[in-house]
């Protein structure tokens, strides 16, 4: 049974939030996960092709930005963390770009494995007059080879002792597998540092014992293999059940325009609903990456879960008001709280 009679717990005060932000700088966070490169090709449509009934896009510009676990790395670097990244790329231009981008931001890339048999995950979006025309995906998403997995595990053993927190960013492309998970979660727990997971519902039961999992609403339902039900009571029961199954310290369900709900373990789960802080919403893509980055960095800085979640919610409120997959920094976050 869930205790619904208790008053909602007090949300952390501004002063406490600001104190945690002041401790972001230099915290060491290890990101393990599926790296991706997002490519944007921009142009104008002048006419329909004489070859086939498709628009002809005259290309005027092109840009690249890390996606997936790479977007988590970017968010953390912007917030002031010292980031190390573990993942797999192919021996290709997209992989080289990712590494170059990370190096440019001072990220430790020692743990990025090049696997010549795999392609770097890349999503190329063609945007004409602000409209997405088509997206091309390139990826190898099967299980890792034995050799690549061994290198990844060795890097994990090398990097984990230096970390203040670990993020497992699972986009289901192969890096987060049972062995990598159990090694990372086991080592983090032995060291007493927080370990958080952005989950893939298919791997859900492998995340046992982590500090926090951060599914969005539909992932949370999928994790429990249930059909989604509307309403706050249904979410309360769902979160409590996830806690029970995972035996994790907490679950943070991100609920888009409805903010987020934090469930903390206890004889009765403690539930905190946090309304969104967003004033304007332009682009929600990548908000989930901002949530797990801010949450984990705050935990690494010594914040309790509720304060970390409140900060993550503020950070998400900032990035959804920006165009594209965006990030925020400590200064902007502090300003939003004042
Ligand atoms: N439409 C919205 N209005 C206001 N706030 C939003 C909206 N969408 C997202 N947010 C904020 O961003 C947080 C994370 O968003 P969401 O629950 O959509 O995660 P997600 O589905 O993992 O996102 P993504 O996969 O795009 O990174 C929410 O908890 C909320 O604070
Ligand atoms: Mg997400």
């Amino acid at each position: 049974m869930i205790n619904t009679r208790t008053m909602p717990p007090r949300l952390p005060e501004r002063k406490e939030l600001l104190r945690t932000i002041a401790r972001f700088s230099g915290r060491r966070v290890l990101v393990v996960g599926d790296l991706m490169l997002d490519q944007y090709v921009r142009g104008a449509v002048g006419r329909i092709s004489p070859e086939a009934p498709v628009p002809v896009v005259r290309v005027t510009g092109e840009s690249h930005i890390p996606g997936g676990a790479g977007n988590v790395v970017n968010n953390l670097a912007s917030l002031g963390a010292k980031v190390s990244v573990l993942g797999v790329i192919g021996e290709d231009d997209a992989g080289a770009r990712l590494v170059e981008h990370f190096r440019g931001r001072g990220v430790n890339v020692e743990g990025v494995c090049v696997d010549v048999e795999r392609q770097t995950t890349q999503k190329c979006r063609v945007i004409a007059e602000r409209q997405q025309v088509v997206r091309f995906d390139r990826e190898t998403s099967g299980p890792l080879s034995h050799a690549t997995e061994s290198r990844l595990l060795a890097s994990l053993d090398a990097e984990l002792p230096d970390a203040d927190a670990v993020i497992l960013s699972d986009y289901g492309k192969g890096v987060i597998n049972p062995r990598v998970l159990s090694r990372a979660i086991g080592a983090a727990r032995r060291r007493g540092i927080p370990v958080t997971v952005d989950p893939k519902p298919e791997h859900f039961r492998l995340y046992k014992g982590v500090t926090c999992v951060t599914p969005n609403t539909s992932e949370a339902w999928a994790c429990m293999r249930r059909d989604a039900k509307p309403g706050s009571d249904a979410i309360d029961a769902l979160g409590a059940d996830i806690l029970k199954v995972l035996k994790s310290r907490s679950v943070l369900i991100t609920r888009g325009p409805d903010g987020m709900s934090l469930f903390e373990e206890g004889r009765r789960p403690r539930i905190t609903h946090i309304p969104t802080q967003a004033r304007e919403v332009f682009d929600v893509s990548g908000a989930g990456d901002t949530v797990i980055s801010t949450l984990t960095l705050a935990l690494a800085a010594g914040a309790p879960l509720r304060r970390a979640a409140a900060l993550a919610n503020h950070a998400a409120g900032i990035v959804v008001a920006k165009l594209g997959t965006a990030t925020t920094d400590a200064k902007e976050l502090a300003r939003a709280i004042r």
Side-chain angles (χ1 to χ4, degrees), residues 14 18 21 279 314 318 329-338:
R14 282 189 176 78
L18 293 172
I21 296 171
R279 277 172 228 137
H314 275 286
I318 295 171
D329 57 35
K331 231 189 198 164
E332 193 178 33
L333 185 55
R335 225 183 301 129
I337 287 160
R338 283 193 189 100

Side-chain angles (χ1 to χ4, degrees), residues 171 198-199 214-216 219 254 286-289:
Y171 279 86
D198 196 352
T214 65
N216 63 22
E219 288 161 349
T254 65
D289 296 328

Side-chain angles (χ1 to χ4, degrees), residues 188-209:
R189 286 184 58 136
R190 273 193 301 281
R191 291 201 50 230
I193 60 171
V195 50
T196 57
V197 188
D198 196 352
K200 196 80 200 160
E202 293 76 14
H203 291 159
F204 178 60
R205 273 152 219 270
L206 301 172
Y207 306 134
K208 286 216 163 83

Side-chain angles (χ1 to χ4, degrees), residues 71-132:
N71 187 38
V72 175
V73 171
N74 247 357
N75 270 276
L76 287 164
S78 297
L79 288 165
K82 223 168 156 255
V83 192
S84 295
V85 56
L86 249 74
V88 179
I89 57 174
E91 195 179 35
D92 47 28
D93 287 347
R97 265 184 218 279
L98 271 176
V99 168
E100 191 188 347
H101 181 98
F102 292 149
R103 281 214 180 99
R105 304 211 64 175
V107 172
N108 171 12
V109 294
E110 297 277 301
V112 176
C113 301
V114 178
D115 181 334
V116 294
E117 316 257 88
R118 291 175 83 93
Q119 267 189 312
T120 303
T121 304
Q122 187 176 6
K123 297 179 182 176
C124 172
R125 297 171 178 87
V126 178
I127 317 245
E129 332 281 359
R130 296 212 194 104
Q131 276 276 10
Q132 193 174 142

